[in-house]
């Protein structure tokens, strides 16, 4: 087979056979297909798409490119949750210990932030000492003891996705449903949990622009999961404004801690309870979503979920002084209020721009090699539907270097007031 033939086939809208997809992924992982040819193929997929069978074959080839994590010797249900990426999305920090507090094992491999979206690993690493690398045995032992562990993706699981994702990120080929679905599901299948809940985000801060395309992505991923005999469900959630108020690693950890103490923002708390309840109801324990919601609300208010988070930090080497006294986190050199220039009601917020702004402050990476400044970011003071008076702050900028005028202009342009 020749890669140029496969590129031509896809570019001209023809479907590839399972054997062709299998051969292509194998040859790519062997180093027999260079990145520039794979990039051309990915771009052709962005324009021409893939049918259901091709998407399934691609997922299978990526999933089988590495090892699988066998969790069968951890007793009880093992569950996983994955977000398609958003701004201010600290859901996992709350949801994982919350679901664990109900006795479910949350076996979570998380990713790093890239571009305008944040990543759970970067947030956790902003807690001094927190280690995201655990051996397979330590990971399982932690699950047996406290029902939750959050680690970085092992190089051995779905390595084809790691290579393809890095390539897609720099060739503007992230945003295609078959590519996103196969990327996410190859990782989820490799980590053999019993139930997987997908948080598919849509809106101006997400990869999917609207609810319809999010539904399409969700259905594609559910279909893949079912084809492999796995229990998969999806929640669609809006990213038309940041989730909660904080964007940036330490700032988001602090907001997650407040949420775990029952004092979090309404939208974040509601989403975590909704997703947690859905996950519990998937576990065939005779619990309806309504019952699970009530149980998890109690776990939040009683402090049990917070306590599990604290234990997870201790198990993974983090300094719990920061969890008990969040004021210990370093303060940025500058804290600047962005004030409104007119009275009005906030009609819309461009989450993508705010995510990019936080990244430019140092909260995220522009390239994989960039280092993160954990303390910087933005904290919104008002959200859509809130009325603000001239001179009141829209948000606070936490920075260690003074932002440029262009930076402020971008922030102004992110808000529409009427
Ligand atoms: N998250 C992933 O893991 N892969 C994608 O392609 C997009 C979001």
């Amino acid at each position: 087979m020749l890669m140029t033939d496969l590129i031509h086939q896809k570019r001209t809208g023809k479907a590839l056979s399972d054997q062709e997809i299998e051969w292509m992924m194998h040859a790519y992982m062997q180093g027999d297909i260079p990145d520039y040819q794979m990039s051309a193929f990915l771009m052709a997929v962005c324009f021409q798409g893939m049918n259901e069978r091709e998407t399934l074959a691609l997922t299978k080839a990526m999933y089988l490119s590495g090892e699988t994590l066998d969790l069968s010797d951890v007793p009880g249900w093992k569950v996983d949750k994955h977000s398609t990426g958003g701004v201010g999305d600290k859901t996992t920090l709350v949801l994982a210990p919350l679901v664990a507090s109900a006795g479910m094992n949350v076996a979570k491999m998380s990713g790093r932030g890239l571009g305008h979206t944040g990543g759970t690993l970067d947030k956790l690493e902003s807690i001094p000492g927190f280690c995201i690398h655990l051996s397979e045995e330590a990971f399982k032992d932690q699950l047996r003891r406290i029902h939750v562990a959050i680690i970085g993706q092992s190089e051995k699981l779905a390595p084809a996705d790691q290579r393809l994702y890095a390539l897609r990120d720099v060739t503007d080929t992230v945003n295609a449903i078959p590519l996103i679905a196969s990327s996410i599901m190859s990782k989820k299948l490799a980590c053999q949990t019993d139930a997987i809940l997908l948080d598919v985000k849509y809106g101006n801060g997400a990869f999917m622009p609207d609810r319809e395309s999010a539904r399409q992505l969700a259905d594609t991923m559910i279909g893949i999961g079912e084809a492999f005999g796995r229990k998969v469900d999806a929640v669609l959630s809006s990213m038309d404004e940041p989730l909660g108020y904080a964007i940036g690693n330490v700032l988001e950890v602090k907001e997650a801690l407040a949420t775990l103490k029952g004092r979090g923002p309404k939208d974040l708390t509601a989403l975590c309870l909704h997703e947690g309840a859905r996950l519990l109801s998937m576990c065939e324990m005779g619990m309806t979503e309504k019952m699970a919601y009530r149980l998890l609300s109690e776990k939040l208010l009683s402090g049990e979920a917070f306590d599990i988070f604290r234990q997870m930090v201790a198990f993974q080497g983090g300094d719990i002084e920061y969890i008990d006294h969040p004021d210990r986190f370093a303060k940025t050199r500058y804290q600047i209020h962005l004030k409104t220039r007119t009275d009005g009601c906030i009609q819309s917020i461009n989450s993508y721009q705010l995510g990019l702004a936080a990244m430019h402050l140092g909260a995220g990476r522009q390239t994989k090699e960039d280092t993160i400044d954990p303390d910087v970011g933005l904290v919104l003071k008002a959200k859509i539907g809130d009325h603000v008076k001239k001179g009141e702050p829209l948000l606070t900028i936490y920075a260690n270097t003074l932002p440029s005028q262009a930076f402020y202009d971008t922030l102004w342009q992110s808000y529409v007031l009427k």
Side-chain angles (χ1 to χ4, degrees), residues 95-113:
L95 179 92
L98 180 59
V99 170
S101 71
M104 224 56 65
N105 296 297
V106 185
K108 182 87 186 83
M109 300 220 178
S110 286
R112 296 199 177 278

Side-chain angles (χ1 to χ4, degrees), residues 381-400:
K381 297 290 175 198
K383 295 187 59 171
I384 293 174
D386 288 344
H387 290 268
V388 283
K389 289 215 159 63
K390 185 177 172 189
E392 282 181 353
L394 278 176
L395 55 79
T396 304
I397 304 161
Y398 291 79
N400 280 320

Side-chain angles (χ1 to χ4, degrees), residues 86-88 201-205 238-245 247 267 346-352 354 380 382-386 415:
V87 179
K201 305 226 174 265
Y202 62 90
N204 63 37
S238 170
M239 197 27 78
D240 271 332
E241 63 179 343
L243 189 59
Y245 291 85
I247 309 169
D267 59 349
I346 300 177
Q347 302 291 305
S348 71
I349 300 177
N350 189 326
S351 317
Y352 172 72
L354 294 188
L380 278 58
K383 295 187 59 171
I384 293 174
D386 288 344
Y415 285 85

Side-chain angles (χ1 to χ4, degrees), residues 82-84 161 165 168 174 179-180 183-184 187 207:
H82 191 94
S83 157
T84 55
D161 173 59
Y165 195 84
R168 288 165 59 212
V174 170
L179 300 181
I180 297 176
S183 162
I184 291 176
K187 289 181 284 226
F207 289 125

Side-chain angles (χ1 to χ4, degrees), residues 257-414:
L257 291 173
T259 308
L260 282 163
K261 288 182 168 169
R263 298 196 298 264
K266 274 200 192 119
D267 59 349
L268 174 64
T269 305
L271 185 65
C272 294
L273 287 170
H274 176 48
E275 291 188 358
R278 180 71 70 85
L279 253 182
L280 290 195
S281 69
M282 287 169 76
C283 293
E284 293 167 12
M285 301 177 67
M287 212 186 298
T288 62
E289 215 172 313
K290 210 166 157 195
M291 286 155 71
Y293 194 98
R294 210 174 310 126
L295 174 71
L296 294 178
S297 304
E298 283 164 20
K299 299 282 180 196
L300 211 53
L301 291 178
S302 67
E304 283 173 77
F306 174 82
D307 199 48
I308 298 264
F309 183 83
R310 195 174 175 275
Q311 287 184 54
M312 179 181 77
V313 171
F315 264 77
Q316 295 192 226
D319 187 344
I320 53 167
E321 281 292 301
Y322 288 81
I323 306 307
D324 294 340
H325 309 285
D327 285 348
R328 297 232 167 143
F329 282 108
K331 308 264 178 313
T332 51
R333 194 168 308 144
Y334 306 104
Q335 294 174 17
I336 306 154
H337 295 307
L338 184 84
K339 294 181 180 165
T340 47
R341 296 188 277 204
T342 53
D343 292 357
C345 174
I346 300 177
Q347 302 291 305
S348 71
I349 300 177
N350 189 326
S351 317
Y352 172 72
Q353 288 298 348
L354 294 188
L356 275 188
M359 181 193 80
H360 285 300
L361 289 171
R365 297 177 187 79
Q366 297 182 55
T367 68
K368 274 201 180 303
E369 289 72 36
D370 285 354
T371 50
I372 294 264
D373 182 341
D375 307 316
V376 301
L378 308 169
V379 175
L380 278 58
K381 297 290 175 198
K383 295 187 59 171
I384 293 174
D386 288 344
H387 290 268
V388 283
K389 289 215 159 63
K390 185 177 172 189
E392 282 181 353
L394 278 176
L395 55 79
T396 304
I397 304 161
Y398 291 79
N400 280 320
T401 50
L402 277 175
S404 65
Q405 188 54 48
F407 180 86
Y408 291 112
D409 290 344
T410 304
L411 292 183
W412 287 121
Q413 286 156 13
S414 304

